């Protein structure tokens, strides 16, 4: 599996074929041996020259592990070689015992604070370049402030340096808006990237 085992090219669907997450090749193979998991074989229509038309589906086969390992390897497929078999890498797996769409909640990391605050310093209102940005704690950590959504804001590094261990009021600063937690989203809405052509029919 060397070289491809950790690639995130496997989309996970619930029993209603709604996206609920992404797995690596290694994780997908571990799931597929379960009787509650299957994989989708996307059969594409052919162009006049015999190549695949990746915009049109001829058939979708929902296959268990015993069926999957018998599939031929097409020139558009990834493969895994074992001592006895060459197996097509699955790109979409389905869990037959999971019907819900999980909620994606976000942690207050620097990248997520940047997204929430739209790259804008929450004291000056200035649009920042990544190298200009720091995370400020309105209630300084040295005075009991926590790493929470409500106590972390994007801030120009110069302002952050001048503010130091003061509160905004003590430093003569005012937040342009009160920091709040990022709203959670459905996992199906959060998966906006497309790591394989097979995903195109399930990711909006």
């Amino acid at each position: 599996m060397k070289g491809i085992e950790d690639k995130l090219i496997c989309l996970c669907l619930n029993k209603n074929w709604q996206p609920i997450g992404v797995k690596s090749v290694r994780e997908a193979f571990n799931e597929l041996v379960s009787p509650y998991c299957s994989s989708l074989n996307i059969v594409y229509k052919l162009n006049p020259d015999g190549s695949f038309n990746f915009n049109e589906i001829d058939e979708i086969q929902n296959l268990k592990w015993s069926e999957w390992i018998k599939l031929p390897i097409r020139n558009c497929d990834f493969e895994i070689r074992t001592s006895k078999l060459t197996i097509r890498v699955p790109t979409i797996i389905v869990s037959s015992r999971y019907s819900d769409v999980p909620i994606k909640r976000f942690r207050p990391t620097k990248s997520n604070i940047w997204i929430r605050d739209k790259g804008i310093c929450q004291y000056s209102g200035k649009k920042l370049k990544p190298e200009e940005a720091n995370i400020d704690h309105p209630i300084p950590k040295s005075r009991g402030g926590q790493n929470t959504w409500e106590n972390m804001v994007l801030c120009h590094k110069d302002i952050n340096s001048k503010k130091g261990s003061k509160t905004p009021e003590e430093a003569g600063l005012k937040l342009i808006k009160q920091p709040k937690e990022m709203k959670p989203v459905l996992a199906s809405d959060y998966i906006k990237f497309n790591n394989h052509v097979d995903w195109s029919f399930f990711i909006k």
Side-chain angles (χ1 to χ4, degrees), residues 5-6 22 25 57 93 109 121 125 136 140 153 163 172 202-203:
E5 67 270 23
D6 295 319
V22 175
V25 171
I57 290 178
I93 62 174
T109 62
C121 174
D136 177 62
V153 296
K163 176 177 175 292
F202 300 93
I203 302 295

Side-chain angles (χ1 to χ4, degrees), residues 94-159:
V94 181
S95 174
S96 63
R97 59 178 177 178
Y98 198 85
S99 59
D100 295 333
V101 177
I103 299 295
K104 170 71 176 179
R105 297 187 181 278
F106 302 95
R107 294 186 298 109
T109 62
K110 183 174 182 178
S111 59
N112 284 337
I113 296 293
W114 175 279
I115 293 170
R116 183 199 65 183
D117 293 344
K118 298 180 172 61
I120 295 173
C121 174
Q122 294 301 289
Y123 293 115
S124 68
K126 177 186 176 182
K127 185 75 174 179
L128 302 177
K129 297 177 181 177
E131 62 270 19
E132 296 176 323
N134 273 350
I135 299 299
D136 177 62
H137 295 76
I139 300 176
K141 294 179 70 174
S142 62
R143 297 165 68 173
Q146 302 296 310
N147 290 324
T148 62
W149 284 107
E150 296 76 15
N151 194 46
M152 296 172 71
V153 296
L154 198 68
C155 175
H156 193 288
K157 62 182 182 181
D158 290 344
I159 294 177

Side-chain angles (χ1 to χ4, degrees), residues 5-10 22-29:
E5 67 270 23
D6 295 319
K7 288 187 180 295
L8 296 173
I9 58 172
C10 189
V22 175
K23 290 186 180 294
S24 68
V25 171
R26 188 196 307 274
E27 293 169 329
F29 270 104

Side-chain angles (χ1 to χ4, degrees), residues 34-51:
S34 164
Y36 304 104
C37 188
S38 58
S39 187
L40 300 186
N41 176 31
I42 311 293
V43 182
Y44 293 97
K45 291 184 180 295
L46 298 178
N47 294 313
D49 63 0
S51 61

Side-chain angles (χ1 to χ4, degrees), residues 162-196:
K162 291 177 181 178
K163 176 177 175 292
S165 60
K166 300 176 183 177
T167 66
E169 293 77 14
E170 291 170 345
L173 299 170
K174 185 177 181 180
L175 288 166
I176 60 176
K177 64 180 179 181
Q178 198 63 31
K180 297 180 180 179
E181 180 179 358
M182 282 181 71
K183 291 182 178 179
V185 299
L186 291 175
S188 56
D189 294 333
Y190 181 69
I191 306 172
K192 299 297 184 183
F193 52 94
N194 191 336
N195 285 356
H196 195 278

